[in-house]
Amino acid sequence: MLINLHKPDINKAMVKLGDLDSLAPFPRKLEYSCPSRGGWTIAHTPMIIPGSHMIYIGASACLRGVVLSAAEYEGLDRFSMVLIEEKDILSGNMEELFIEGVTDILNKLDHRPTCVLPFTGCIHYFLATDIEYIYDELSARFPDIDFISSQMTPTMKINDHTPEEDMCRSMYLCIEEQPLNDKVVNFIGDSYPIAKSGDHMKLLHEHGFRTHDLASIDSYDEYKAMGESFLNIYSLPIAKWSTECLEERLGQQSLYMPYTYNYDEIDRDMSKLAKIIGAPIPDFAVLRAEADESLAKALSIIGDTVVTVDFMSTPRFLSLARLLLSHGFNVTEIYGDVLSPESQDDIDWFKKNYPDIPLIATQDFRARFYPRDETNDGKVLAIGQKATYFTGTNHFVNLIANNGWYGYDAIKKLADEMIDAFNNEKDAKSIIQVKAWGCSA
């Protein structure tokens, strides 16, 4: 059946939550990418490692995007390239090109990186390049540098592990085994610093624990010191493989404390943490009351203003929408393409309570044709950059991957940000088109 690409049926790019029968309701075919770019990618996350240097080995067409990304966050002094040409593919000397290219770059740098992340591309795997030999040779030539094998392989998105999961795992490969300290804890996987006021962070610090959070670390020595921690806490699903590898390699325990907005789940996970560290369980009744008070204050100001939520704001975006609806907010649209198995309880709740609220695709090609109120005549408060773009509003909460907020503290922060977004317009265009919001070299 032919599809009219000029006037497609946009109703096929949305589904009522009451009719949802799959966690992936929208077929992956022709895709659209809207200009909301605040999420971090593999071109940005390595910058979190202090003193790191990225070297991409690939064709010019593949490297165009990453070099522009590096330029945007002023990271070109920590970014290099080795260009692959057609003759290099035909000559069969890909290993030599890789090794000599990286060697030449490192010898010409005016500083010595603490670690280097050479990025292989799809072409290396198509040509069966001997990656292990390459890294053995580089490590022998530069014994004072840690090398992290990294991949830019968009053709492998549907492998067992996504490129994002692989990058997250790679970020911690240079942490070495050492005696574990039962008073030190790592936070794994976030690009944004974990909020010091977060419920889990406060519990740890109030009971004499030290914490390492890669997004907050300033020195390579402290990065290496993450090997002393007995426990790794992660909140983003992409970090699951990272913590599994660290547990196997270094013997560190793992604890998943997801960015949920469900009170019972927060209480459950905080209780797990308290048990692990031998601390009293927090007074959840007090914390719940504080969160309810913050939401009630926000509702008294925002009233029945339309609120929209998207998947870019937080991994558990249905949980967030459910919280707001259950506290009286007028959530009318939810933007997302796939749902995690963790969302099943939220899906069931929506089917029972708000079955007509639509889940709207953001990557389906039809999303290009969604009507947008760029005049902002009808006031909309968006949570997340995708919802901001598709609704055309300038009243939005710039929440990306939960901003490192956790627990009841995250709920209070969100309520305050919603009040600010309601009262004050932002320049959406100048904010949401910036890649990896907050990234700086």
Side-chain angles (χ1 to χ4, degrees):
M1 182 177 66
L2 295 177
I3 298 174
N4 187 340
L5 295 179
H6 297 287
K7 293 182 179 179
D9 183 359
I10 63 174
N11 291 319
K12 292 184 178 180
M14 57 186 71
V15 59
K16 291 181 179 180
L17 287 169
D19 297 332
L20 198 65
D21 59 3
S22 169
L23 296 177
F26 308 111
R28 293 197 66 176
K29 296 182 179 179
L30 183 62
E31 293 188 357
Y32 169 66
S33 179
C34 77
S36 55
R37 307 295 189 191
W40 288 43
T41 73
I42 59 172
H44 308 95
T45 50
M47 294 297 97
I48 298 174
I49 302 177
S52 62
H53 192 95
M54 293 190 296
I55 302 177
Y56 283 80
I57 299 90
S60 58
C62 298
L63 302 186
R64 184 182 300 118
V66 289
V67 70
L68 290 174
S69 295
E72 281 182 334
Y73 62 78
E74 299 181 346
L76 288 176
D77 60 329
R78 299 175 63 186
F79 176 94
S80 302
M81 297 182 297
V82 177
L83 293 181
I84 297 175
E85 299 177 352
E86 184 177 5
K87 61 181 177 61
D88 300 313
I89 298 173
L90 298 175
S91 67
N93 65 341
M94 188 60 67
E95 290 83 1
E96 181 182 356
L97 173 71
F98 196 120
I99 293 168
E100 297 305 328
V102 171
T103 297
D104 184 59
I105 288 169
L106 294 179
N107 285 335
K108 290 179 178 178
L109 288 177
D110 58 5
H111 64 284
R112 200 68 157 181
T114 53
C115 75
V116 173
L117 296 91
F119 278 79
T120 51
C122 309
I123 188 66
H124 296 100
Y125 299 95
F126 296 155
L127 297 176
T129 305
D130 191 339
I131 304 297
E132 185 175 348
Y133 164 72
I134 288 172
Y135 281 97
D136 285 344
E137 180 63 24
L138 288 174
S139 296
R141 292 189 183 190
F142 302 96
D144 59 324
I145 295 176
D146 290 332
F147 287 93
I148 299 177
S149 177
S150 306
Q151 291 81 37
M152 184 178 66
T153 52
T155 58
M156 301 179 183
K157 280 187 176 181
I158 57 175
N159 277 13
D160 291 340
H161 297 289
T162 67
E164 292 77 16
E165 289 174 319
D166 188 75
M167 185 72 256
C168 186
R169 180 192 67 91
S170 297
M171 295 285 289
Y172 302 93
L173 287 178
C174 291
I175 299 173
E176 298 170 349
E177 184 176 7
Q178 54 188 283
L180 300 181
N181 187 329
D182 61 7
K183 297 293 287 186
V184 187
V185 174
N186 289 332
F187 286 91
I188 301 293
D190 280 80
S191 297
Y192 294 97
I194 306 300
K196 301 297 183 184
S197 56
D199 297 356
H200 50 12
M201 185 74 86
K202 284 183 65 177
L203 182 68
L204 288 165
H205 289 172
E206 286 173 355
H207 291 87
F209 286 78
R210 290 189 293 111
T211 57
H212 296 302
D213 167 23
L214 183 52
S216 301
I217 285 174
D218 294 323
S219 73
Y220 196 65
D221 287 341
E222 187 178 354
Y223 163 73
K224 300 284 274 191
M226 294 180 77
E228 69 176 330
S229 301
F230 85 99
L231 175 66
N232 292 321
I233 296 174
Y234 70 103
S235 298
L236 295 175
I238 64 167
K240 182 177 186 292
W241 189 30
S242 301
T243 59
E244 289 173 346
C245 293
L246 288 168
E247 187 166 1
E248 180 180 353
R249 189 164 61 87
L250 305 181
Q252 298 171 325
Q253 299 178 47
S254 300
L255 177 61
Y256 181 41
M257 302 185 74
Y259 285 131
T260 177
Y261 286 82
N262 181 294
Y263 288 5
D264 291 339
E265 290 182 345
I266 296 171
D267 293 355
R268 176 201 66 195
D269 297 333
M270 285 293 292
S271 297
K272 287 181 182 178
L273 176 59
K275 183 178 180 180
I276 290 173
I277 67 174
I281 294 176
D283 189 339
F284 295 127
V286 171
L287 295 173
R288 288 187 179 208
E290 291 175 351
D292 285 341
E293 183 180 352
S294 295
L295 290 168
K297 178 183 177 182
L299 182 63
S300 70
I301 295 170
I302 294 168
D304 63 356
T305 299
V306 168
V307 177
T308 61
V309 176
D310 74 39
F311 77 95
M312 193 173 176
S313 63
T314 183
R316 297 286 297 278
F317 56 100
L318 282 190
S319 173
L320 170 54
R322 175 178 174 178
L323 171 79
L324 296 177
L325 284 163
S326 63
H327 283 78
F329 292 89
N330 184 27
V331 179
T332 62
E333 294 176 344
I334 300 173
Y335 290 86
D337 302 281
V338 295
L339 299 165
S340 69
E342 295 177 301
S343 300
Q344 190 59 56
D345 182 63
D346 295 319
I347 293 171
D348 294 340
W349 184 87
F350 272 95
K351 286 186 174 184
K352 179 180 179 180
N353 296 282
Y354 293 91
D356 292 332
I357 290 181
L359 178 70
I360 304 173
T362 70
Q363 294 180 342
D364 189 286
F365 76 92
R366 299 173 183 87
R368 169 68 178 80
F369 300 91
Y370 293 161
R372 299 175 62 241
D373 181 16
E374 295 182 326
T375 62
N376 209 21
D377 290 337
K379 194 168 187 178
V380 174
L381 196 160
I383 300 177
Q385 291 194 356
K386 301 288 186 184
T388 300
Y389 174 76
F390 285 118
T391 58
T393 186
N394 284 315
H395 295 274
F396 67 98
V397 178
N398 194 28
L399 184 64
I400 302 171
N402 228 65
N403 286 7
W405 305 344
Y406 177 79
Y408 292 105
D409 179 66
I411 295 170
K412 291 186 287 185
K413 280 182 163 56
L414 175 67
D416 289 342
E417 289 294 324
M418 290 177 69
I419 293 172
D420 180 73
F422 179 82
N423 289 329
N424 303 293
E425 287 190 87
K426 300 183 180 75
D427 184 354
K429 183 177 181 180
S430 67
I431 292 174
I432 69 173
Q433 68 178 339
V434 176
K435 290 184 180 178
W437 183 260
C439 180
S440 174

